[in-house]
Amino acid sequence: MDASLSPSPFDHQKTQNAEPKKSFITSLITLRSNHFKEDTYFVTELKPAEQKSLQELKEKLSASSSSSKASSMWGVPLLGGDDKADVILLKFLRARDFKVADSLRMLEKCLEWREEFKTEKLTEEDLGFKDLEGKVAYMRGYDKEGHPVCYNAYGVFKEKDMYERVFGDEEKLNKFLRWRVQVLERGVKMLHFKPGGVNSIIQVTDLKDMPKRELRVASNQILSLFQDNYPEMVATKIFINVPWYFSVIYSMFSPFLTHRTKSKFVMSKEGNAAETLYKFIRPEDIPVQYGGLSRPTDSQNGPPKPASEFSIKGGEKVNIQIEGIEGGATITWDIVVGGWDLEYSAEFVPNAEESYAIVVEKPKKMKASDEAVCNSFTTVEAGKLILSVDNTLSRKKKVAAYRYTVRKSTTAV
């Protein structure tokens, strides 16, 4: 029998420690100040001129020769006259500022490309990149608003052998591009295409160790493919582990970006991945390498078990007390602190006064690169488990999360 106990109060122990001052880079690379307002795709909420553009696009598409070649996208008939078709058509209109001629041209080119690329059958193909799944580009979980999340990390290609194997010639590059589109297609198929529903994804791009010069050709082609054929499919673009020089580059081209485009960007400096991602995604859906609790094998066990979030201020020690554990029960827990760099320990304290506390995990200095701890302990007598995270030597506030289940004994104790 599984039982999830309600979270116990935290025991916060503080020491006097001044808060760190913000550096130039910290203040320059911040979360977006103007949150992107995603379209609802309700036709009734469109301006009269936008409603007129939508109707004109439908009429022109119906008269177009392209409509006979491929009349649907992602299983949605574009001329079916339903809400789903309106959502897709509005994406193309929004991408071209509701200019009907430009939107139709973009849509027709996209239909032709999808037919040539054979995208409808792409998600089932085995392209031979199993070793890159879960590392380079992959769908994992949802954000707090229900958007599917796509993670991108190209740091593995800093190794020459890996780079040559994937991008060594044009044929290999084209195969990789096809695989990268496959990942996106899987994400798009998770969307509702329904007014008021989830109609876009979240992209998280890890810039750590990314070999920019070597990947310039591949990056440009991926960007071009996505911009031309997947309009308004991304609600938020989160860049993590952003190097200091990227902020300077961004400040140079930022004036040339539209307000709508910039409002989708979130940039977080190196070392702040967990702090940033926790604002958008629940910890049980964030990969362990970014300070979350999600592991690739978790999907085999059904939906992830919810986690409790908490924060640890600089100069503070937090004790999480999990009480009410019966004798003979087995408690299993996960715990993580974003960018650890602190001390962690666990002990079991029996209820009986004559019993001694049991050290379950000795105090251990956790490195910044350490992933979530997952452990279990079977009790002999009733008591409580105390998980301790000691941040007294740091001045930095950190985000954290934990979860646990208790399996009661099937035999009398």
Side-chain angles (χ1 to χ4, degrees), residues 5 14 23 79 83 119 155 173 178 198 255 257 338 363 397:
L5 305 181
K14 300 180 180 179
S23 66
L79 298 173
D83 290 342
T119 54
L173 173 59
R178 187 166 180 79
V198 175
L257 299 175
K397 181 180 178 180

Side-chain angles (χ1 to χ4, degrees), residues 132 134-138 150-157 176 180 204-208 210-211 215 240 289-290:
L132 300 186
K135 295 180 181 179
V136 173
Y138 52 98
C150 179
Y151 292 87
N152 307 277
Y154 298 106
V156 296
F157 296 121
F176 174 81
R180 186 60 191 84
V204 177
T205 300
D206 183 359
L207 297 181
K208 186 175 182 180
M210 180 177 174
L215 288 181
I240 58 175
Q289 63 266 36
Y290 299 131

Side-chain angles (χ1 to χ4, degrees), residues 60-128:
K60 289 184 179 295
L61 180 62
S62 180
S64 169
S65 59
S66 295
S67 63
S68 62
K69 296 180 182 178
S71 58
S72 68
M73 284 185 179
W74 304 293
V76 178
L78 296 180
L79 298 173
D82 61 5
D83 290 342
K84 290 190 173 185
D86 286 348
V87 170
I88 294 177
L89 295 178
L90 284 170
K91 286 181 178 293
F92 283 88
L93 282 166
R94 176 68 70 183
R96 291 296 181 264
D97 296 323
F98 283 86
K99 296 176 182 177
V100 177
D102 293 345
S103 302
L104 178 63
R105 192 176 303 112
M106 182 185 189
L107 180 57
E108 289 178 333
K109 287 184 177 180
C110 180
L111 287 169
E112 292 173 3
W113 172 78
R114 292 185 66 81
E115 185 177 25
E116 293 172 3
F117 212 77
K118 294 180 174 56
T119 54
E120 296 303 321
K121 298 180 180 180
L122 181 57
T123 55
E124 305 304 321
E125 288 185 28
D126 182 0
L127 296 171

Side-chain angles (χ1 to χ4, degrees), residues 317-352:
K317 179 178 179 180
V318 174
N319 294 322
I320 304 170
Q321 301 189 41
I322 304 173
E323 301 179 331
I325 305 174
E326 299 177 0
T330 298
I331 180 169
T332 301
W333 68 94
D334 297 273
I335 185 169
V336 67
V337 178
W340 289 85
D341 195 24
L342 47 69
E343 192 173 83
Y344 160 76
S345 62
E347 69 172 351
F348 181 77
V349 180
N351 291 339

Side-chain angles (χ1 to χ4, degrees), residues 39 54 70 102 104 166 181 185-186 245 254 279 357-358 400 407:
D39 287 345
L54 176 60
D102 293 345
L104 178 63
V166 178
V181 170
E185 281 286 317
R186 288 172 177 166
Y245 55 81
S254 178
K279 294 178 182 292
I358 300 171
R407 183 182 294 274

Side-chain angles (χ1 to χ4, degrees), residues 250-313:
Y250 177 74
S251 66
M252 293 173 63
F253 68 76
S254 178
F256 302 100
L257 299 175
T258 65
H259 174 74
R260 182 178 177 83
T261 298
K262 286 190 289 187
S263 68
K264 295 182 179 183
F265 288 176
V266 175
M267 286 184 282
S268 175
K269 71 173 185 174
E270 193 165 358
N272 277 18
E275 180 182 351
T276 301
L277 294 178
Y278 274 43
K279 294 178 182 292
F280 300 91
I281 309 168
R282 290 195 52 78
E284 63 267 22
D285 282 320
I286 298 174
V288 288
Q289 63 266 36
Y290 299 131
L293 298 173
S294 176
R295 295 178 172 84
T297 56
D298 288 350
S299 60
Q300 301 172 6
N301 303 316
K305 292 181 174 62
S308 297
E309 297 180 40
F310 64 101
S311 61
I312 313 167
K313 295 180 180 179

